[in-house]
Amino acid sequence: MESKMINHSVPTEYQSEQGKLNILGFWIFIAAEIILFATLFAVYGVLHTRTSDGPTGEEIFVIKDVVIQTMLLLTSSFTAGLVIHEMRRGNVRGLITWLIITLALGGGFLYMEINEFIHYVHAGAGIQTSAFTSSLLTLLGTHGAHVTLGIFWAIMVIIQLLQRGITPITASKVHIWGIYWHFLDVVWIFIFTFVYVGGLI
Amino acid sequence: MNSKSHNSFPYTHVVGFLLSIALTIATLFVAFKTGLSAGIVMIIIAGLAVAQAGLQLFMFMHMTEGEDRDTKVVHTVYAVFMAVVIVVGSIWVMTAGHPIH
Amino acid sequence: MDIKWDKILITGDPLILGSQIAIVLTMVGIVVGLTYFKKWKYLWSEWLTSVDHKRIGIMYIIMGVLMFFRGGVDGLMMKAQTAVPENTFLDAQHYNEVFTTHGVIMILFMAMPMLIGIINIAMPLQIGARDVAFPQLNLLSFWLTFAGAMLFNLSFVVGGSPDAGWTSYFPLAGKEFTPGIGNNFYMVALQIAGIGTLMSGINFIVTIMKMRAPGMKLMRMPMFSWTTLITSLIIVIAFPIFTVALLLGTMDRIFGTHFFTVADGGLDMLWANLFWLWGHPEVYIVILPAFGIYSEVVATFSKKRLYGYTSMVMAIVVISALSMLVWVHHFYTMGVGPAVNSVFSITTMAIAVPTGIKMFNWLFTMRKGRIEFTAPMMWTLAFIPTFLIGGVTGVMLGMAAADFQYHNTLFLVAHFHYTLIPGVVYAVFAALYYWWPKVFGFKLNERIGKWHFWLFNIGFNLTFFPMFFLGLQGAARRMYTYSEESGLWPLYALSAVGAIFLAAGFAALCYNIYWSIRYEKRTTENDPWGTARTLEWATATPVPHYNFAVVPEVTDVDAYWEMKKNKDNFALDPNKIKPIHMPSNSGLPVYMGAAFLIAGFFLVFEWIPLAAISAFLIFAGMIKRSFEYDDGYYVPVEEIIEKERTWRGDSKWKAK
Amino acid sequence: MKKRKSLLLSVVSVMLVFLLSGCEMAELVVFNPKGPQAEKILDLINWSLVWIGLIMVVVIALFVYIVWKYRARPDNADYEPPQEKGNHLVEIIWTAIPFIIVVILMVPTVTTLFDLEEVPAGYEDQEPLVIHATSADWKWIFSYPEQNIETINYVNIPVNRPVLFKLTSAGTMQSFWIPALSGQKYTMAKMETELYIVADHEGSYFGRNSNFNGKGFKEMEFEVLAQSPQDFDKWVKEVQEKAPKLTEEMYAEKLKPSHLGRETFSNTHLEWVDHADHHAKEYLNPELYRVHGYPGKTFTDENNDIDNDTENSDHHHGGDHSGH
Ligand code: HEA
Ligand code: HEA
Ligand code: CUA
Ligand SMILES: [Cu+2]
C-alpha cells in the first residue's frame, strides 16, 4: 500500500507492502502451528500405549481407508500448488477451477475422516475411553478442524476473487491459503507415518 | 521468483506430486512388506516422512522465495528443531526413571 | 444443560459480597461518569478502537496497573493470613484460591500486559516505524488479553475461583478432585489471553524484521528492541505448547477425556511436562524485555554507550535457546531419574553464564560514566544486587540434588519473587518513569518517586528475604497457616511487616501519577532527560500519531546520540515531508474480544450448546475481517508541517 | 535524608526485636541432617554456598565501587564519558569464570544425584527394610509388607538400617519429604517412585507432603520415629498382636478426603490394591470435593463405584505397556 508502483518482475502477491508483511507474518504463524502439532504428537507419543480398558490402535486402524485419505490429501496438495501456478499466470478462471477441485478433494478427505470417527466410536473407542483414544482423536480432530477451516477460508477467498480478480491483496490471500493447505498436508504425512503405519507395525 | 517459469507446464509440481506418491508407497512397502524389525522400520519411515515434508516445504510452499526468505527459512528451521526437542524430550522425560508405573 | 441459577453468584462470604458490591458500584460509577461528561464517543473512537500502537500500549499499561492492584491485594491477604500462627482470616479454600489467582494474575495479567504495553509504546519508535506491522491485529491482541483477564477475574464473584495453584497441576485440577467450575476459568481465560499474546509475538517479529528505519541493521538496533525480538521468538515457540496444554485440560474437565486423569490411563506427569515446557520459557519471556529496559536506562543515565553490545545480543540469543531446554528443573523430584536430572541441571545452570555476561556489561557501562540518580536509574541500580540474589538462588535450585530440599518450599517462593520483582516489576517501574515524559509530555515527580523507590525496596527485601530461611526451616509453600510450635512465626511476621511497606510503596506510585498529572511541569522537549540515545527521543513529545515526520537515516547503534552530535542531521527539511499513510481505527477487535468473552463464559459454565452458538459470533467476526478492504488514510503534508514546527522551533528546522 | 535514616533505623530495630526477642525460632532443618542422604545434600549445598558467596561478594563489591566512584557530582558536570564499545579480553574473562564455576558446581551435583538413588555407602551389607508409603487426601499410609502391618500418619523405622520407601499415591500428586533425613520425591497414582533413607540418630522427625493437593494440604504431616532395632522389633510384634485388621470397606472409607489421626493395623491394604499398579482400582470420590460455587459436571467411571464393585481383579485391558 505504501507504494502504488507495481513491479511486474515479482509475483502479484509480493507486489504490495501489506501483502509481503502478511506472507511473512503467516510464515511465523506456521512456526507456531508446527509447535502446536509437535506438542500433540508428543502427547500422543507418550500416551499411545495407555489404552486402559479400550481397544488398541492395531485393533481399530483400517489401513486401506487411511491410504485413501492420504492420497486424497496428497492430490489436493498438488492441485493447491496448481492454484498458485495459475495465479502467477494471471489466469483467474484456472485459479478458481483448481481451487474448487482442491476443496472437493479436501471435502472427500473430511468425509472419510468423519466415517473413520464413527467407526472408532462403534468399535468402542470414543474420546472418553482411554488416554490413547483421547490423544488419538484429539490429534486427528485438530488436524481435521484445520482442514475444515481451510475449506471455509478458501470459499471466502473464492468469493473475493470473483469480486475483485487477482490483485496484490487477493493474490497474497491465495498464496497464504496455499501455504496453509500444504502445511496441513505435511502434518498429515506425519500422522500417517507415526500414528497409522507406526501403530500397525 | 520470476514469473516467466510459470507460463509453461508446471513441471516442478508434477514431479513433486509423483515423488510424494512414491514416498507414501515406499512407506507402506517398508512397513508391511519387508519384514524388517520394528525399530528399523520406524527409522526408515521417519526418514521418508521428513523427506516428504521437505518436498512440500521447498517445492510447493514457496519457502525459499521473496525478499524475506532468510527470515522464513531460519525461523522455520528453528521451529522444526524445537518441535523435535518437544517430541523427543517429552517422550524421554516421561518414560525415563519410572521402573514401575 | 440444567442451569443452576442459585449457584452462579458466590454468596455467603463477606469478603466476596464486599467486592461484588464494589464491582457493581464501580461499573455504575464509570457508566454514569462517562455519560455525564459525554465521553462515550471520545472513549470509543480515540481509545477502544484505536489502532495507534502508543494508545494500545497505554491501554495495556492501565490494565497492568489495575491487575497489579488486584494481585497485590491478593499478596497482602496472604501476608495477613500468615502473619500469625493458626490465623483464621482466610480458610484453606480461600487461601488456595488467593494464591492461585495471585500467581496467574501477576504473571499473565500484570507482567505480560505491562511489558507488551511498554513494547508497544517504545519499540516501533525505537526502530523508526510508523506503527506495528499489523495494527488491527495488535488491537485484537489487546482485546483478547483483556477479555481473558476479565473472564478470569469474574471467577472471584461468579461461579468460583480456580484453586489448584498457578501451575494447575493435574489430577488435582481435574474433575476427579476439583469438580466445581473454578478451574475451568483457568483453562478458558488463559486460552483466550494466550491467543492474544501469540499474535502479539508474531506482530512484533514482523515489525522488527520488516519495518526498521533505513540504515538500521539488526546489529544497530537498540537493545530493548533486540530483547523484544527475542522475546517474541520465544512467545511464538512457547505459547502454542500452552495452547495445547490448556486445550487438553479443558477437554479433560469439560468433555471427559483422559489426558491427565487418574482413571483410564491418563498421565498426570504429562501436564507438568507440558506446563513447564511453556512455563519456563514464560519466565524468560517476562525477563528479557526487562533486561532490555535496563540496558536502555543504564546507558542513558551513565551517559555512555552500552558496553559490549555484541555480547549482549549474543547473551540473549543464548538465553532464548537455553530457555527451551531446561523445563525439567521444575520437577526434578518427580523421579525422572538421575540421568535426566543431570542433563537438565547442566542446561539450567548454563543460563548463569549469559546472564552473568549481561550483569557485567551493565556494570561496565556505568564504569567511567557519569551516573545520574534519576528515578529510572534508581530502579536499575536496585535491580542489580537484588536480582543477583534471585539469580544465584536460581542456580542453587538448578543443582537438582540440592533442589530435593528446596523444592516446594518458601525458599523457592523467595527465589522467584527475587527474580520476578527486581527483574520484572522494577523494570516496569523504570520504564514507566523513563518513557512517561515521552508519552505524556511531563515527567513523574522525582521526589515522590524516591519515596516510592525506598518504600518498595525496603518492603520487598523485608518481605521476601526471610522466606529463604523459612524454606530452610522446612516451611512448605502454599500452606494457609502453621502451628505455633513450628517456630516459624518470627520470620513469617517479619515478612508480613514488609508487605505493609510494599503496599505503601505502591500507594506512593499511584499518588505520584495523580500528583504529576495535576502539577508536574509540562514539556515539549523531545529529549527531556537530556542524555537519551535512541530514536524514540528524536521526535516530538508527546509523540505525534504518525511518529516521525520523516523516518531518520540510521548510521550507528545509538541513532539519536549520533544525530545530536551532528546537529544538522537532526534538523528537519520540510521538503522531504510526504503524506504519511496511516491505518484506520476499527471496532472489530472490540467485537471479537466480546465474542470470545461470551463464548468463553458459556464454556466455563459448561453450557455447551450456548458456547457452540456463541462460537459463531467469533466466526462471523473472522468473515467480516476477511472481506474488509480498508486502505487507511493519509496524513496531509500541511498537517505534519504545522505539528513539527510547533515543537521544533528554528534550531531543529532546516529552512529551505 | 534524615527521614530516610530514621526509616531505616526503625526497620532495623524491628528486625532486631524479632531476632532477639527469644521467641523460639525453628532451626534450619536442612542444615541439621540426621542421616547420610540429607548429609550428602547438605554437603552439596555448602559447596554451592561457598561459590555463590564468592560471586555475590565480587559482584556487589564491583557494583558499590563503580556506582560510588562514577556517580554524578556537581564538580564533574563537564565530564564527558568515553563511548567504549567493549573489550574482548574482559568479556571473555567474565564468560569463562562463571562457566568454570558452573562446572565446579555441576560435578558434585551429578555424583550426588546418582548417589542418592542407591543405598548409602556403609549400609550396603544390610537388607533394606521395604515400606510402601501411599499418600491420599489428606493422610499418609505406610505399609510394611514383610511385617504385614500398616500405619497411618506415622512411620517407625529402625535406626542405622537402610529403608526403601516405595512411594505411590491414591489420587493427587504429592511429595514425600522428611527434611532431616533426605530430599523429597513425588508420589503419583499408578506409578511408583523409590527413595532410600537411613536415619543414623534415634529420634522423632518431621515429615510432610510438600506438594499442594487441595484443602487439607497443610495438615498432611506425619512423624518419623527412628528407633533402636530392638525397640522397632518390639513395636512390630506388638502391632502384629494387638492392632485390628483393616478391611477393604474400611480402607475405602479412609480414602475419602479427610484427616485421620494415627492408626495402626495388623495387615496391609496391599492385599487388595497396590495403587502403584497400572491397573489399580481408583477409589475416587469426586462428589466429596465440592466447594462453594457452580458445581459443573463430573465424569465418573463405573470402576469407581466401590460399593458395587467387589470382583475387581478380572478387570483387564488391552495394549502393552512395555514402553514405560
Ligand atoms: C523472571 C523470572 C525468573 C527468572 C529470571 C528465573 C531465573 C532462574 N531460575 Fe527460576 N523460577 C521462576 C522465575 C524465574 N527464574 C519462577 C516463577 C519459578 C517457580 C514457579 C513455581 O513453581 O511456581 C522458578 C523456579 C525455578 C526452579 C524450580 C525449583 C523448584 O521448583 O524446585 C529452578 C530450578 O532450577 C529455577 C532456576 C533458575 C535459574 C538457574 C535461573 C537463572 O536464569 C538465573 C541466572 C542469573 C544469575 C545466576 C545471576 C547473574 C549471574 C552472574 C553474576 C554470573 C555468575 C554466576 C554464577 C556462575 C552462578 N527457577
Ligand atoms: C510478577 C509476579 C509476582 C509479583 C509482582 C508478586 C508480588 C507479591 N507476591 Fe507473589 N507470587 C507469584 C508472582 C508474583 N508475586 C507467583 C507466580 C506465585 C505462586 C503462586 C502459586 O503458588 O500458585 C506467588 C506466590 C506468592 C506467595 C506464596 C503463597 C504460598 O505459597 O503460600 C506469597 C506469600 O506471601 C506472595 C506474596 C506476594 C506479595 C506480598 C507481593 C507484593 O510484591 C505485592 C505488592 C503490591 C501491592 C502491595 C499492591 C497493592 C497495594 C495496595 C493495596 C496499597 C493501596 C493502594 C492504593 C491506595 C492505590 N506471592
Ligand atoms: Cu505405565 Cu503401563
Ligand atoms: Cu524455570
PDB file of all heavy atoms in Angstrom, chain D residues 92-114:
ATOM      1  N   ILE D  92      35.639 -12.013  27.509  1.00  0.00           N
ATOM      2  CA  ILE D  92      35.930 -13.450  27.545  1.00  0.00           C
ATOM      3  C   ILE D  92      36.167 -13.898  28.985  1.00  0.00           C
ATOM      4  O   ILE D  92      35.683 -14.946  29.414  1.00  0.00           O
ATOM      5  CB  ILE D  92      37.153 -13.765  26.655  1.00  0.00           C
ATOM      6  CG1 ILE D  92      36.737 -13.632  25.188  1.00  0.00           C
ATOM      7  CG2 ILE D  92      37.669 -15.174  26.923  1.00  0.00           C
ATOM      8  CD1 ILE D  92      37.875 -13.678  24.207  1.00  0.00           C
ATOM      9  N   ILE D  93      36.843 -13.063  29.740  1.00  0.00           N
ATOM     10  CA  ILE D  93      37.106 -13.442  31.134  1.00  0.00           C
ATOM     11  C   ILE D  93      35.799 -13.623  31.894  1.00  0.00           C
ATOM     12  O   ILE D  93      35.601 -14.618  32.592  1.00  0.00           O
ATOM     13  CB  ILE D  93      37.985 -12.380  31.822  1.00  0.00           C
ATOM     14  CG1 ILE D  93      39.390 -12.428  31.214  1.00  0.00           C
ATOM     15  CG2 ILE D  93      38.040 -12.603  33.331  1.00  0.00           C
ATOM     16  CD1 ILE D  93      40.314 -11.358  31.724  1.00  0.00           C
ATOM     17  N   TRP D  94      34.896 -12.665  31.741  1.00  0.00           N
ATOM     18  CA  TRP D  94      33.682 -12.835  32.540  1.00  0.00           C
ATOM     19  C   TRP D  94      32.690 -13.803  31.927  1.00  0.00           C
ATOM     20  O   TRP D  94      31.607 -14.011  32.445  1.00  0.00           O
ATOM     21  CB  TRP D  94      33.065 -11.505  32.958  1.00  0.00           C
ATOM     22  CG  TRP D  94      32.448 -10.637  31.890  1.00  0.00           C
ATOM     23  CD1 TRP D  94      31.603 -10.992  30.905  1.00  0.00           C
ATOM     24  CD2 TRP D  94      32.619  -9.227  31.785  1.00  0.00           C
ATOM     25  NE1 TRP D  94      31.240  -9.907  30.181  1.00  0.00           N
ATOM     26  CE2 TRP D  94      31.839  -8.808  30.694  1.00  0.00           C
ATOM     27  CE3 TRP D  94      33.351  -8.273  32.512  1.00  0.00           C
ATOM     28  CZ2 TRP D  94      31.777  -7.469  30.305  1.00  0.00           C
ATOM     29  CZ3 TRP D  94      33.268  -6.954  32.125  1.00  0.00           C
ATOM     30  CH2 TRP D  94      32.504  -6.563  31.032  1.00  0.00           C
ATOM     31  N   THR D  95      33.032 -14.383  30.811  1.00  0.00           N
ATOM     32  CA  THR D  95      32.266 -15.539  30.353  1.00  0.00           C
ATOM     33  C   THR D  95      32.906 -16.810  30.902  1.00  0.00           C
ATOM     34  O   THR D  95      32.216 -17.723  31.345  1.00  0.00           O
ATOM     35  CB  THR D  95      32.268 -15.607  28.810  1.00  0.00           C
ATOM     36  OG1 THR D  95      31.907 -14.320  28.319  1.00  0.00           O
ATOM     37  CG2 THR D  95      31.273 -16.641  28.313  1.00  0.00           C
ATOM     38  N   ALA D  96      34.234 -16.814  30.883  1.00  0.00           N
ATOM     39  CA  ALA D  96      34.936 -18.045  31.250  1.00  0.00           C
ATOM     40  C   ALA D  96      34.800 -18.346  32.743  1.00  0.00           C
ATOM     41  O   ALA D  96      34.554 -19.491  33.122  1.00  0.00           O
ATOM     42  CB  ALA D  96      36.401 -17.929  30.863  1.00  0.00           C
ATOM     43  N   ILE D  97      34.937 -17.320  33.581  1.00  0.00           N
ATOM     44  CA  ILE D  97      34.929 -17.610  35.023  1.00  0.00           C
ATOM     45  C   ILE D  97      33.581 -18.191  35.471  1.00  0.00           C
ATOM     46  O   ILE D  97      33.555 -19.248  36.112  1.00  0.00           O
ATOM     47  CB  ILE D  97      35.347 -16.365  35.827  1.00  0.00           C
ATOM     48  CG1 ILE D  97      36.823 -16.073  35.501  1.00  0.00           C
ATOM     49  CG2 ILE D  97      35.147 -16.585  37.315  1.00  0.00           C
ATOM     50  CD1 ILE D  97      37.383 -14.876  36.197  1.00  0.00           C
ATOM     51  N   PRO D  98      32.465 -17.553  35.138  1.00  0.00           N
ATOM     52  CA  PRO D  98      31.193 -18.196  35.515  1.00  0.00           C
ATOM     53  C   PRO D  98      31.057 -19.594  34.929  1.00  0.00           C
ATOM     54  O   PRO D  98      30.545 -20.499  35.586  1.00  0.00           O
ATOM     55  CB  PRO D  98      30.132 -17.268  34.929  1.00  0.00           C
ATOM     56  CG  PRO D  98      30.787 -15.945  34.843  1.00  0.00           C
ATOM     57  CD  PRO D  98      32.230 -16.228  34.543  1.00  0.00           C
ATOM     58  N   PHE D  99      31.573 -19.777  33.724  1.00  0.00           N
ATOM     59  CA  PHE D  99      31.485 -21.097  33.122  1.00  0.00           C
ATOM     60  C   PHE D  99      32.231 -22.120  33.980  1.00  0.00           C
ATOM     61  O   PHE D  99      31.718 -23.202  34.270  1.00  0.00           O
ATOM     62  CB  PHE D  99      32.073 -21.052  31.706  1.00  0.00           C
ATOM     63  CG  PHE D  99      31.944 -22.350  30.975  1.00  0.00           C
ATOM     64  CD1 PHE D  99      30.755 -22.667  30.331  1.00  0.00           C
ATOM     65  CD2 PHE D  99      32.992 -23.248  30.942  1.00  0.00           C
ATOM     66  CE1 PHE D  99      30.620 -23.874  29.674  1.00  0.00           C
ATOM     67  CE2 PHE D  99      32.869 -24.453  30.284  1.00  0.00           C
ATOM     68  CZ  PHE D  99      31.678 -24.770  29.644  1.00  0.00           C
ATOM     69  N   ILE D 100      33.407 -21.729  34.418  1.00  0.00           N
ATOM     70  CA  ILE D 100      34.184 -22.647  35.260  1.00  0.00           C
ATOM     71  C   ILE D 100      33.445 -22.926  36.564  1.00  0.00           C
ATOM     72  O   ILE D 100      33.355 -24.059  37.031  1.00  0.00           O
ATOM     73  CB  ILE D 100      35.578 -22.057  35.526  1.00  0.00           C
ATOM     74  CG1 ILE D 100      36.359 -22.034  34.201  1.00  0.00           C
ATOM     75  CG2 ILE D 100      36.329 -22.859  36.572  1.00  0.00           C
ATOM     76  CD1 ILE D 100      37.614 -21.207  34.259  1.00  0.00           C
ATOM     77  N   ILE D 101      32.866 -21.869  37.132  1.00  0.00           N
ATOM     78  CA  ILE D 101      32.139 -22.080  38.391  1.00  0.00           C
ATOM     79  C   ILE D 101      30.967 -23.037  38.178  1.00  0.00           C
ATOM     80  O   ILE D 101      30.689 -23.910  39.007  1.00  0.00           O
ATOM     81  CB  ILE D 101      31.661 -20.728  38.963  1.00  0.00           C
ATOM     82  CG1 ILE D 101      32.873 -19.866  39.324  1.00  0.00           C
ATOM     83  CG2 ILE D 101      30.789 -20.943  40.194  1.00  0.00           C
ATOM     84  CD1 ILE D 101      32.535 -18.501  39.848  1.00  0.00           C
ATOM     85  N   VAL D 102      30.295 -22.869  37.047  1.00  0.00           N
ATOM     86  CA  VAL D 102      29.179 -23.778  36.775  1.00  0.00           C
ATOM     87  C   VAL D 102      29.666 -25.218  36.719  1.00  0.00           C
ATOM     88  O   VAL D 102      29.049 -26.124  37.284  1.00  0.00           O
ATOM     89  CB  VAL D 102      28.471 -23.373  35.456  1.00  0.00           C
ATOM     90  CG1 VAL D 102      27.559 -24.494  34.969  1.00  0.00           C
ATOM     91  CG2 VAL D 102      27.663 -22.106  35.651  1.00  0.00           C
ATOM     92  N   VAL D 103      30.807 -25.425  36.081  1.00  0.00           N
ATOM     93  CA  VAL D 103      31.347 -26.790  36.023  1.00  0.00           C
ATOM     94  C   VAL D 103      31.677 -27.282  37.432  1.00  0.00           C
ATOM     95  O   VAL D 103      31.363 -28.423  37.812  1.00  0.00           O
ATOM     96  CB  VAL D 103      32.591 -26.835  35.118  1.00  0.00           C
ATOM     97  CG1 VAL D 103      33.234 -28.212  35.180  1.00  0.00           C
ATOM     98  CG2 VAL D 103      32.212 -26.483  33.692  1.00  0.00           C
ATOM     99  N   ILE D 104      32.265 -26.398  38.225  1.00  0.00           N
ATOM    100  CA  ILE D 104      32.627 -26.780  39.592  1.00  0.00           C
ATOM    101  C   ILE D 104      31.384 -27.182  40.391  1.00  0.00           C
ATOM    102  O   ILE D 104      31.431 -28.080  41.226  1.00  0.00           O
ATOM    103  CB  ILE D 104      33.349 -25.602  40.275  1.00  0.00           C
ATOM    104  CG1 ILE D 104      34.731 -25.402  39.641  1.00  0.00           C
ATOM    105  CG2 ILE D 104      33.471 -25.827  41.771  1.00  0.00           C
ATOM    106  CD1 ILE D 104      35.452 -24.188  40.173  1.00  0.00           C
ATOM    107  N   LEU D 105      30.265 -26.515  40.129  1.00  0.00           N
ATOM    108  CA  LEU D 105      29.042 -26.856  40.849  1.00  0.00           C
ATOM    109  C   LEU D 105      28.379 -28.090  40.261  1.00  0.00           C
ATOM    110  O   LEU D 105      27.678 -28.838  40.951  1.00  0.00           O
ATOM    111  CB  LEU D 105      28.056 -25.683  40.801  1.00  0.00           C
ATOM    112  CG  LEU D 105      28.517 -24.410  41.521  1.00  0.00           C
ATOM    113  CD1 LEU D 105      27.497 -23.300  41.322  1.00  0.00           C
ATOM    114  CD2 LEU D 105      28.709 -24.681  43.007  1.00  0.00           C
ATOM    115  N   MET D 106      28.617 -28.286  38.985  1.00  0.00           N
ATOM    116  CA  MET D 106      27.922 -29.349  38.273  1.00  0.00           C
ATOM    117  C   MET D 106      28.412 -30.730  38.696  1.00  0.00           C
ATOM    118  O   MET D 106      27.620 -31.638  38.931  1.00  0.00           O
ATOM    119  CB  MET D 106      28.192 -29.149  36.777  1.00  0.00           C
ATOM    120  CG  MET D 106      27.273 -29.905  35.897  1.00  0.00           C
ATOM    121  SD  MET D 106      25.593 -29.457  36.232  1.00  0.00           S
ATOM    122  CE  MET D 106      24.955 -31.040  36.651  1.00  0.00           C
ATOM    123  N   VAL D 107      29.721 -30.864  38.787  1.00  0.00           N
ATOM    124  CA  VAL D 107      30.277 -32.204  39.010  1.00  0.00           C
ATOM    125  C   VAL D 107      29.711 -32.855  40.272  1.00  0.00           C
ATOM    126  O   VAL D 107      29.153 -33.962  40.208  1.00  0.00           O
ATOM    127  CB  VAL D 107      31.811 -32.138  39.006  1.00  0.00           C
ATOM    128  CG1 VAL D 107      32.391 -33.478  39.381  1.00  0.00           C
ATOM    129  CG2 VAL D 107      32.295 -31.690  37.627  1.00  0.00           C
ATOM    130  N   PRO D 108      29.791 -32.186  41.427  1.00  0.00           N
ATOM    131  CA  PRO D 108      29.218 -32.845  42.609  1.00  0.00           C
ATOM    132  C   PRO D 108      27.701 -33.000  42.531  1.00  0.00           C
ATOM    133  O   PRO D 108      27.145 -33.912  43.145  1.00  0.00           O
ATOM    134  CB  PRO D 108      29.612 -31.924  43.764  1.00  0.00           C
ATOM    135  CG  PRO D 108      29.932 -30.626  43.146  1.00  0.00           C
ATOM    136  CD  PRO D 108      30.408 -30.892  41.761  1.00  0.00           C
ATOM    137  N   THR D 109      27.043 -32.126  41.768  1.00  0.00           N
ATOM    138  CA  THR D 109      25.596 -32.297  41.622  1.00  0.00           C
ATOM    139  C   THR D 109      25.292 -33.645  40.982  1.00  0.00           C
ATOM    140  O   THR D 109      24.445 -34.409  41.459  1.00  0.00           O
ATOM    141  CB  THR D 109      25.005 -31.175  40.746  1.00  0.00           C
ATOM    142  OG1 THR D 109      25.299 -29.922  41.341  1.00  0.00           O
ATOM    143  CG2 THR D 109      23.502 -31.323  40.605  1.00  0.00           C
ATOM    144  N   VAL D 110      26.020 -33.940  39.913  1.00  0.00           N
ATOM    145  CA  VAL D 110      25.760 -35.200  39.213  1.00  0.00           C
ATOM    146  C   VAL D 110      26.098 -36.395  40.100  1.00  0.00           C
ATOM    147  O   VAL D 110      25.301 -37.330  40.224  1.00  0.00           O
ATOM    148  CB  VAL D 110      26.554 -35.254  37.889  1.00  0.00           C
ATOM    149  CG1 VAL D 110      26.422 -36.617  37.247  1.00  0.00           C
ATOM    150  CG2 VAL D 110      26.068 -34.166  36.947  1.00  0.00           C
ATOM    151  N   THR D 111      27.242 -36.332  40.757  1.00  0.00           N
ATOM    152  CA  THR D 111      27.595 -37.502  41.576  1.00  0.00           C
ATOM    153  C   THR D 111      26.583 -37.665  42.705  1.00  0.00           C
ATOM    154  O   THR D 111      26.170 -38.785  43.010  1.00  0.00           O
ATOM    155  CB  THR D 111      29.012 -37.370  42.155  1.00  0.00           C
ATOM    156  OG1 THR D 111      29.102 -36.122  42.834  1.00  0.00           O
ATOM    157  CG2 THR D 111      30.061 -37.424  41.073  1.00  0.00           C
ATOM    158  N   THR D 112      26.161 -36.564  43.309  1.00  0.00           N
ATOM    159  CA  THR D 112      25.183 -36.684  44.387  1.00  0.00           C
ATOM    160  C   THR D 112      23.882 -37.279  43.860  1.00  0.00           C
ATOM    161  O   THR D 112      23.247 -38.111  44.518  1.00  0.00           O
ATOM    162  CB  THR D 112      24.905 -35.306  45.016  1.00  0.00           C
ATOM    163  OG1 THR D 112      26.140 -34.668  45.288  1.00  0.00           O
ATOM    164  CG2 THR D 112      24.104 -35.435  46.289  1.00  0.00           C
ATOM    165  N   LEU D 113      23.477 -36.832  42.676  1.00  0.00           N
ATOM    166  CA  LEU D 113      22.236 -37.358  42.107  1.00  0.00           C
ATOM    167  C   LEU D 113      22.276 -38.873  41.999  1.00  0.00           C
ATOM    168  O   LEU D 113      21.326 -39.564  42.376  1.00  0.00           O
ATOM    169  CB  LEU D 113      22.021 -36.766  40.711  1.00  0.00           C
ATOM    170  CG  LEU D 113      21.309 -35.426  40.658  1.00  0.00           C
ATOM    171  CD1 LEU D 113      21.302 -34.890  39.241  1.00  0.00           C
ATOM    172  CD2 LEU D 113      19.897 -35.548  41.181  1.00  0.00           C
ATOM    173  N   PHE D 114      23.401 -39.382  41.491  1.00  0.00           N
ATOM    174  CA  PHE D 114      23.474 -40.834  41.334  1.00  0.00           C
ATOM    175  C   PHE D 114      23.578 -41.520  42.692  1.00  0.00           C
ATOM    176  O   PHE D 114      22.977 -42.569  42.913  1.00  0.00           O
ATOM    177  CB  PHE D 114      24.631 -41.215  40.404  1.00  0.00           C
ATOM    178  CG  PHE D 114      24.268 -41.037  38.952  1.00  0.00           C
ATOM    179  CD1 PHE D 114      24.496 -39.828  38.304  1.00  0.00           C
ATOM    180  CD2 PHE D 114      23.650 -42.065  38.248  1.00  0.00           C
ATOM    181  CE1 PHE D 114      24.130 -39.665  36.979  1.00  0.00           C
ATOM    182  CE2 PHE D 114      23.294 -41.915  36.921  1.00  0.00           C
ATOM    183  CZ  PHE D 114      23.524 -40.703  36.275  1.00  0.00           C
TER     184      PHE D 114
END
